[in-house]
C-alpha cells in the first residue's frame, strides 16, 4: 500500500459497512424467529396434510436462508471491524510521523518520502545541504540509512530518516493488514443458490476459522470473558461489551458464548444453533465420505463352529473407520433430534425451543429448553440419569415436552419453561459405572452453575419458581449439587432415585416439604441404589414383619418413608414410565412444577 | 366467540362446503365435512387435529401468506441499511480489502434480494391456498415444486464462486 492510498483510507468507512452488514444480520435473525416461532407455529395447529407439509418444508428452507444470512453477516461485520481496527492502528502511526515531520518543517512528499531543508553548522562557509529520504523497514537497510544520516553534518537528515522509517513501517503494517484480511473477507461471499446445503454450512465453519485466525489484534482489544467466572461475572462482562464487540464474540467464539451461564437465553441459543448447524453439516459430510460398512458376518469357511465369523473386509473397515463412524452416527442422531425439536415448534402448542448448551465432547451434551426460561413464571430443569448422552437427546427432550404440556394445562396464563439438561457426564452403564459416585460429584458443580446462571438472567431467586427434576442417577447428581453448594431451586422432584447421597430430605437445600419422590412399585433402581451405596445413611432399626433384624446405619433413598420426602402416587410401571402421557406420574410432576401443591396425589 | 356465532359459522361452512368443488380427487360422498372438523381425506383445507372450521383453516393459510409477505418489508429496510453502509467504499480505493468488500457486498445484495423474491413467491402460494385459487394438495405441491427448482443447490459453483 502506498502513502497516498493509506492517507486517503478512512477506517470509519469500513466500520460503517460493518454496521450495514450487522443490521442485515439482525433483520435475518428477526425473520428467522418470525418464521420458526410465529408463522410455522401458527400453521401447525389448524393445518394438516400434504399441502401443509410441503408449505412447512419450504418455510423451513426459507428460515435456513435467514439463518445462513445471519451467521455470515456476523462474520462479515466482524471481519470489517477487524480490518478497520488494524487500519486505524497503522493510520495512527502514519499520522504521528507526518505530524512530527511537518512540525519540524520537513515536507512529506506524495510518495511518503521526506524532504528536509539545509541545516546544521556551516562547513567551509556553506550550510549543509537539505535532501530527501525514503523510509526503510528492513532492519539492515534501516540501520545503514541511519548510519548514512549520522555522517551527514545536517542534523535534519537523521530526524527526517526517522520519520520516513516510521511512515514506511505504517505502510508496511497497513499492507500486511490488507493482505491478510482481503482473502478472509472474500471467502464470505454469499452462496449463488438458495439451498443452504451441508457444504455451505461446512464452508461457513471454515470461513469463520479463517477470520478468527487473522482477527487476533482486534479480538485482543476486546475484553475477554472472565475465566471460570460466576454467572453474575459473565453477565457483567457481556453487558460491558458494545454491540459490535458482542457480535464479534458470537461470530468468532460461538461455542464459548453459548456455554456461558449468566448470558441471556436468546444469545446462547443464537450461538449454539450456529454451532449445531455447522457441526451437523460437517459430520454429515464426513460420514458420507466414509466407505460403506461391509457385511459383518459370513458363514465360517473353516467348519461349523462358530457358525458365522466376522468378515475380513468388515474387520479392516472397523479398524480404520469403526470408532469414527459410530461417533459421527451417534452424534448426528442427537443433533437431528435437537433439530426436530426446533421444527416441531407450534405442534400441539409447543413453545419455541432454546438451545442453551451443545457440544460433542466426550459423550456429547445438550441443553434444550421449551419456552424461554428468562421470563418464565415456572422453570423446570430435568437431570437425566445413567446412559444419558447427546445421542439419546430425543427421548430426554420428549419428556420435558410432556412436562411442559401438562404444566401448561395446569397453569393457564402462566409461562412455563421446561429444560432438558444433558449437561454432565453421566455413567454409561448401570453396573459398574452407575455404582460410582464420582459422576455425581463432578456433574454437581456444572448443575449448580447452570441453575445459578438461570437465576441470574431471571433476575434473582424470587423471579421464577424453579423445580429440579432428577431421574435415576440424575437425582444423585442433584443430591451432590445440593451438598456442594446452594441449589438454586424451590422444589426437587426425583423419579426412580437410587439415592441422593443424603439420608434426609431436610439435607437438601429446598427444605423437606419441597422434596417430592416418585418410585414405581416395579422400579428396581431404588433398591439397586442402596446396594451401590448411593443413598444417605441413617441409624435405624430394620424390621421384617415387625421383627427387628438389623440395627445400625442403613441406606436411605428418597422413596423410603424414612427419607421424609413427599411420596407421590405413581400409576406407571418400571424405571422409565414416569413421563407417560396422561399419567398420574406426569401430572404430579407438573403440579409441583407449577406450584399447585394441593393437586399432588401422594401417599398418606 | 359466542356460541351462537360459532353455530352460525359452522352452518355457513357446511353450506358452503357441500356446494363446493371437492378438496381432492375423492368423490364428495366419501369426503368428511371439513367444517365439523372430523378430518377429511386431506387437502390444503383439511383441519389439523379436527379442531378448526373451514374458515379458520383458510384463514390460517392466508395469515401465513401475509406473514411471509411482510418479511419483504424488513428485507428492503435491511438492503437500504446495507447500501448506506457502503458510502465511501464505492470508488477504487487502491486497497484489496476494499475490493473484496465490494464483491462481498454485491453478492449479499443479490442473495438477500433473491430471498425476498422467495418470500414473495411463497407468500403468493400460501395466500392463493387461503382464498380458493389453489384447491387441491396436488395444486399446492405443484406450485411449490416450481419454486424448488429455482432455488436448488448448485454444488459445482457454490464453493468455487466464493473465490478463496
Amino acid at each position: 500500500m502506498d502513502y497516498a492510498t493509506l492517507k486517503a483510507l478512512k477506517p470509519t468507512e469500513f466500520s460503517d459497512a460493518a454496521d450495514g452488514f450487522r443490521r442485515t444480520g439482525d433483520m435475518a435473525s428477526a425473520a428467522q424467529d418470525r418464521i420458526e416461532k410465529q408463522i410455522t407455529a401458527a400453521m401447525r395447529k389448524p393445518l394438516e396434510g400434504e399441502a401443509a407439509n410441503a408449505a412447512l418444508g419450504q418455510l423451513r428452507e426459507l428460515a435456513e436462508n435467514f439463518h445462513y444470512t445471519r451467521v455470515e453477516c456476523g462474520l462479515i461485520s466482524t471481519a470489517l471491524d477487524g480490518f478497520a481496527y488494524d487500519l486505524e492502528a497503522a493510520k495512527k502511526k502514519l499520522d504521528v510521523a507526518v505530524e512530527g515531520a511537518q512540525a519540524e518543517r520537513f515536507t512529506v512528499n506524495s510518495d511518503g518520502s521526506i524532504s528536509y531543508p539545509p541545516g546544521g553548522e556551516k562547513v567551509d562557509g556553506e550550510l549543509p545541504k537539505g535532501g530527501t529520504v525514503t523510509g526503510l523497514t528492513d532492519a539492515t537497510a534501516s540501520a545503514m540509512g541511519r548510519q548514512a544520516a549520522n555522517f551527514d553534518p545536517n542534523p535534519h537528515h537523521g530526524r527526517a530518516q526517522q520519520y520516513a522509517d516510521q511512515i514506511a513501517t505504517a505502510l508496511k503494517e497497513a499492507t500486511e493488514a490488507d493482505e491478510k484480511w482481503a482473502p478472509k473477507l472474500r471467502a464470505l461471499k454469499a452462496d449463488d443458490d438458495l439451498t443452504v446445503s451441508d457444504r455451505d454450512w461446512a464452508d461457513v465453519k471454515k470461513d469463520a476459522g479463517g477470520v478468527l485466525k487473522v482477527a487476533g489484534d482486534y479480538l485482543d482489544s476486546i475484553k475477554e470473558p472472565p475465566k471460570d467466572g460466576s454467572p453474575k461475572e459473565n453477565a457483567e462482562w457481556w453487558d460491558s461489551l458494545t454491540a459490535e464487540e458482542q457480535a464479534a464474540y458470537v461470530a468468532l467464539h460461538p461455542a464459548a458464548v453459548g456455554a456461558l451461564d449468566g448470558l441471556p437465553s436468546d444469545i446462547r441459543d443464537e450461538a449454539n444453533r450456529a454451532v449445531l448447524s455447522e457441526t451437523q453439516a460437517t459430520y454429515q459430510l464426513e460420514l458420507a465420505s466414509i466407505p460403506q460398512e461391509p457385511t459383518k458376518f459370513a458363514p465360517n469357511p473353516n467348519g461349523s463352529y462358530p457358525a458365522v465369523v466376522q468378515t475380513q473386509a468388515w474387520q479392516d473397515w472397523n479398524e480404520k473407520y469403526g470408532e469414527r463412524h459410530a461417533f459421527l452416527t451417534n452424534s448426528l442422531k442427537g443433533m437431528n433430534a435437537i433439530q426436530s425439536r426446533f421444527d416441531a415448534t407450534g405442534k400441539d402448542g409447543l413453545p419455541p425451543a432454546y438451545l442453551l448448551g451443545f457440544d460433542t465432547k466426550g459423550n456429547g451434551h445438550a441443553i434444550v429448553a421449551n419456552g424461554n426460561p428468562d421470563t418464565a413464571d415456572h422453570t423446570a430443569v430435568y437431570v437425566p440419569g445413567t446412559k444419558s448422552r447427546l445421542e439419546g437427546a430425543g427421548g430426554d427432550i420428549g419428556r420435558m415436552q410432556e412436562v411442559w404440556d401438562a404444566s401448561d394445562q395446569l397453569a393457564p396464563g402462566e409461562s412455563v419453561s421446561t429444560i432438558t439438561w444433558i449437561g454432565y457426564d453421566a455413567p454409561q452403564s448401570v453396573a459398574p459405572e452407575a455404582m460410582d459416585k464420582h459422576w455425581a460429584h463432578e456433574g454437581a458443580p456444572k448443575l449448580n452453575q447452570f441453575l445459578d446462571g438461570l437465576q441470574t438472567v431471571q433476575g434473582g431467586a424470587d423471579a421464577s419458581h424453579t423445580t429440579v427434576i432428577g431421574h435415576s442417577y440424575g437425582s444423585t447428581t442433584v443430591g451432590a449439587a445440593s451438598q456442594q453448594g446452594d441449589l438454586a431451586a424451590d422444589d426437587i422432584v426425583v423419579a426412580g432415585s437410587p439415592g441422593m447421597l443424603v439420608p434426609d430430605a431436610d439435607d437438601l437445600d429446598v427444605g423437606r416439604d419441597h422434596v417430592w419422590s416418585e418410585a414405581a412399585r416395579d422400579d428396581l433402581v431404588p433398591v439397586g441404589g442402596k446396594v451401590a451405596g448411593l443413598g444417605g445413611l441413617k441409624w435405624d432399626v430394620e424390621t421384617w414383619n415387625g421383627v427387628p433384624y438389623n440395627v445400625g446405619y442403613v441406606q436411605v433413598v428418597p422413596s423410603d418413608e424414612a427419607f421424609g420426602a413427599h411420596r407421590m402416587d405413581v400409576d406407571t410401571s418400571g424405571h422409565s414410565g414416569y413421563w407417560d402421557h396422561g399419567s398420574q406420574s406426569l401430572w404430579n410432576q407438573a403440579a409441583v412444577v407449577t406450584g399447585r401443591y394441593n393437586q399432588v396425589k401422594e401417599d398418606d | 366467540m359466542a356460541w351462537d356465532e360459532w353455530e352460525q359459522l359452522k352452518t355457513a361452512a357446511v353450506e358452503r362446503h357441500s356446494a363446493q368443488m371437492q378438496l381432492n380427487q375423492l368423490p364428495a360422498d366419501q369426503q368428511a365435512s371439513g367444517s365439523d372438523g372430523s378430518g377429511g381425506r386431506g387437502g390444503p383445507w383439511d383441519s389439523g387435529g379436527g379442531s378448526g372450521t373451514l374458515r379458520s383453516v383458510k384463514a390460517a393459510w392466508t395469515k401465513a401468506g401475509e406473514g411471509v409477505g411482510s418479511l419483504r418489508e424488513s428485507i428492503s429496510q435491511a438492503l437500504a441499511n446495507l447500501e448506506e453502509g457502503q458510502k465511501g467504499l464505492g470508488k477504487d480505493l487502491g486497497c484489496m480489502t476494499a475490493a473484496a468488500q465490494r464483491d462481498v457486498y454485491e453478492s449479499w445484495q443479490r442473495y438477500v434480494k433473491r430471498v425476498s423474491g422467495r418470500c414473495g413467491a411463497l407468500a403468493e402460494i400460501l395466500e392463493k391456498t387461503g382464498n380458493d385459487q389453489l384447491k387441491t394438495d396436488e395444486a399446492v405441491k405443484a406450485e411449490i415444486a416450481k419454486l424448488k427448482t429455482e432455488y436448488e443447490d448448485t454444488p459445482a459453483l457454490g464453493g468455487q464462486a466464493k473465490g478463496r
Side-chain angles (χ1 to χ4, degrees):
Chain A
M1 198 180 294
D2 63 22
Y3 176 68
T5 303
L6 183 57
K7 193 160 160 224
L9 277 177
K10 297 199 188 54
T12 50
E13 281 169 356
F14 291 92
S15 5
D16 286 344
D19 272 339
F21 278 101
R22 201 167 5 256
R23 290 167 80 174
T24 304
D26 289 343
M27 174 281 293
S29 167
Q32 185 192 358
D33 276 354
R34 273 202 69 195
I35 293 177
E36 291 181 342
K37 295 175 180 165
Q38 286 178 36
I39 299 175
T40 56
M43 281 173 75
R44 277 188 204 280
K45 190 159 178 226
L47 303 178
E48 210 180 62
E50 290 179 19
N53 287 340
L56 285 167
Q58 276 302 291
L59 281 166
R60 239 194 310 275
E61 303 219 353
L62 189 59
E64 271 299 272
N65 288 137
F66 285 115
H67 190 194
Y68 168 71
T69 301
R70 159 207 239 181
V71 176
E72 288 266 270
C73 282
L75 287 169
I76 295 168
S77 63
T78 302
L80 288 170
D81 280 334
F83 176 67
Y85 180 81
D86 288 343
L87 193 65
E88 179 73 41
K91 277 211 81 150
K92 264 207 186 92
K93 281 200 171 129
L94 187 78
D95 291 343
V96 162
V98 167
E99 278 161 25
Q102 288 174 344
E104 293 194 33
R105 314 260 183 185
F106 300 160
T107 308
V108 183
N109 303 312
S110 62
D111 63 351
S113 63
I114 301 202
S115 301
Y116 56 93
E121 300 288 330
K122 286 202 181 151
V123 173
D124 297 339
E126 264 191 52
L127 205 55
K129 285 208 285 271
T132 299
V133 282
T134 315
L136 305 155
T137 55
D138 172 73
T140 314
S142 186
M144 282 170 61
R146 279 200 298 280
Q147 258 210 338
N150 286 341
F151 281 124
D152 191 327
N154 184 344
H156 295 317
H157 185 159
R159 308 280 304 156
Q161 186 65 61
Q162 269 184 344
Y163 289 123
D165 286 348
Q166 285 169 16
I167 289 176
T169 304
L171 290 176
K172 178 160 172 259
E173 286 178 9
T175 306
E176 281 167 358
D178 193 31
E179 285 174 352
K180 89 174 178 186
W181 278 110
K184 305 302 182 193
L185 182 59
R186 189 172 290 282
L188 300 170
K189 273 172 75 171
D191 192 10
D192 57 355
D193 64 74
L194 285 195
T195 300
V196 188
S197 63
D198 287 342
R199 180 83 264 154
D200 296 323
W201 279 119
D203 285 344
V204 170
K205 184 170 181 196
K206 187 158 102 194
D207 298 340
V211 173
L212 180 63
K213 254 211 289 227
V214 302
D217 292 332
Y218 174 51
L219 275 181
D220 286 343
S221 75
I222 306 175
K223 195 166 109 186
E224 263 184 4
K227 216 164 166 46
D228 299 324
S230 69
K232 187 156 171 286
E233 289 164 349
N234 293 338
E236 279 165 3
W237 166 75
W238 182 255
D239 289 337
S240 77
L241 300 181
T242 63
E244 290 83 354
E245 293 172 335
Q246 289 180 343
Y249 255 89
V250 172
L252 297 182
H253 293 298
V257 170
L260 273 181
D261 296 312
L263 261 55
S265 294
D266 56 1
I267 302 292
R268 293 174 76 169
D269 177 62
E270 176 187 344
N272 287 324
R273 287 193 66 184
V275 179
L276 177 69
S277 291
E278 290 169 16
T279 310
Q280 254 181 317
T282 44
Y283 280 27
Q284 250 145 220
L285 289 170
E286 195 190 330
L287 191 62
S289 76
I290 291 181
Q292 199 169 24
E293 188 177 350
T295 323
K296 188 167 178 183
F297 293 110
N300 187 348
N302 300 321
S304 61
Y305 184 81
V308 291
V309 291
Q310 290 178 351
T311 61
Q312 190 58 46
W314 184 87
Q315 285 186 55
D316 292 340
W317 178 91
N318 189 47
E319 199 174 304
K320 196 156 176 216
Y321 302 113
E323 205 180 310
R324 188 69 186 164
H325 186 268
F327 170 76
L328 293 172
T329 309
N330 296 339
S331 302
L332 280 167
K333 187 160 168 229
M335 290 191 266
N336 292 340
I338 296 173
Q339 189 59 49
S340 298
R341 172 57 188 89
F342 281 103
D343 294 339
T345 294
K347 205 151 183 252
D348 302 322
L350 264 187
Y354 293 82
L355 189 58
L356 303 179
F358 169 72
D359 68 67
T360 54
K361 294 197 274 251
N363 292 324
H365 308 93
I367 307 174
V368 180
N370 298 300
N372 192 334
D374 296 2
T375 49
D377 296 317
H378 303 283
T379 308
V381 177
Y382 162 60
V383 184
T386 308
K387 297 194 189 161
S388 304
R389 48 196 288 136
L390 174 60
E391 183 192 349
D396 288 321
I397 293 172
R399 287 177 179 175
M400 280 306 101
Q401 284 175 215
E402 291 289 353
V403 173
W404 189 89
D405 181 56
S407 302
D408 184 54
Q409 291 183 56
L410 284 183
E414 292 167 40
S415 51
V416 176
S417 173
T418 61
I419 306 173
T420 297
W421 188 81
I422 310 173
Y424 76 117
D425 290 325
Q428 295 299 310
S429 63
V430 172
E433 289 195 5
M435 305 181 74
D436 194 324
K437 296 182 188 112
H438 88 268
W439 313 101
H441 287 307
E442 281 168 22
K446 295 184 183 155
L447 179 61
N448 276 329
Q449 175 100 332
F450 178 70
L451 292 171
D452 286 342
L454 286 183
Q455 194 166 269
T456 303
V457 288
Q458 286 167 340
D462 298 326
S464 180
H465 164 246
T466 304
T467 304
V468 176
I469 304 176
H471 178 232
S472 194
Y473 196 91
S475 65
T476 315
T477 306
V478 175
S482 191
Q483 277 183 324
Q484 285 186 23
D486 195 6
L487 198 75
D490 303 296
D491 282 287
I492 296 176
V493 169
V494 296
S497 174
M500 295 182 75
L501 306 177
V502 297
D504 196 287
D506 248 342
D507 300 323
L508 300 166
D509 297 324
V510 298
R512 157 191 283 241
D513 205 27
H514 290 278
V515 182
W516 314 78
S517 164
E518 287 188 358
R521 242 185 291 274
D522 57 350
D523 186 342
L524 302 174
V525 169
V527 170
K530 290 193 194 187
V531 168
L534 296 178
L537 292 171
K538 251 189 186 165
W539 187 268
D540 204 355
V541 180
E542 288 186 307
T543 61
W544 183 72
N545 285 2
V547 181
Y549 67 91
N550 184 28
V551 179
Y553 279 107
V554 299
Q555 280 273 314
V556 183
V557 298
S559 46
D560 293 332
E561 198 176 335
F563 191 75
H566 294 271
R567 286 168 300 134
M568 305 199 284
D569 284 356
V570 170
D571 64 343
T572 54
S573 38
H575 184 53
S576 300
Y578 301 101
W579 294 273
D580 286 353
H581 189 75
S583 66
Q584 187 63 56
S585 313
L586 178 63
W587 283 117
N588 277 336
Q589 292 181 56
V592 174
V593 167
T594 54
R596 263 79 172 158
Y597 305 126
N598 56 356
Q599 292 194 39
V600 170
K601 305 254 182 305
E602 53 180 304
D603 304 344
D604 335 312
Chain B
M1 65 178 64
W3 273 115
D4 38 346
E5 203 182 319
W6 172 266
E7 288 298 323
Q8 272 169 30
L9 273 179
K10 260 181 72 171
T11 324
V14 171
E15 285 168 2
R16 211 182 319 127
H17 179 80
S18 49
Q20 237 161 20
M21 277 178 60
Q22 296 157 199
L23 293 183
N24 57 24
Q25 317 299 43
L26 289 178
D29 62 318
Q30 275 183 35
Q31 193 157 48
S33 165
S35 65
D36 65 4
S38 55
R41 280 285 178 275
W45 301 330
D46 192 17
S47 60
S51 57
T53 60
L54 190 63
R55 177 184 281 184
S56 71
V57 161
K58 289 199 323 189
W61 281 99
T62 308
K63 189 156 161 250
E66 283 165 3
V68 173
S70 75
L71 292 176
R72 301 194 79 178
E73 278 169 48
S74 351
I75 293 181
S76 329
Q77 182 61 52
L79 281 169
N81 293 335
L82 195 61
E83 196 181 327
E84 207 187 307
Q86 293 295 305
K87 279 204 291 256
L89 291 176
K91 49 198 184 306
D92 176 24
L93 298 172
C95 119
M96 295 191 287
T97 303
Q101 197 280 147
R102 193 73 201 165
D103 289 346
V104 169
Y105 162 71
E106 282 168 5
S107 77
W108 280 99
Q109 204 190 26
R110 271 194 304 272
Y111 190 87
V112 171
K113 278 191 180 143
R114 287 184 71 191
V115 174
S116 180
R118 184 177 205 172
C119 288
L122 185 57
E124 203 182 314
I125 295 178
L126 295 170
E127 280 171 9
K128 277 188 181 162
T129 311
N131 67 20
D132 284 17
Q133 286 181 265
L134 292 172
K135 301 173 201 280
T136 64
D137 276 344
E138 284 70 22
V140 175
K141 278 158 64 180
E143 289 296 303
I144 287 180
K146 271 193 246 166
L147 265 194
K148 272 169 122 162
T149 51
E150 227 184 291
Y151 303 129
E152 252 160 23
D153 197 13
T154 52
L157 295 173
Q160 288 131 24
K162 290 179 162 205
R164 244 155 237 107

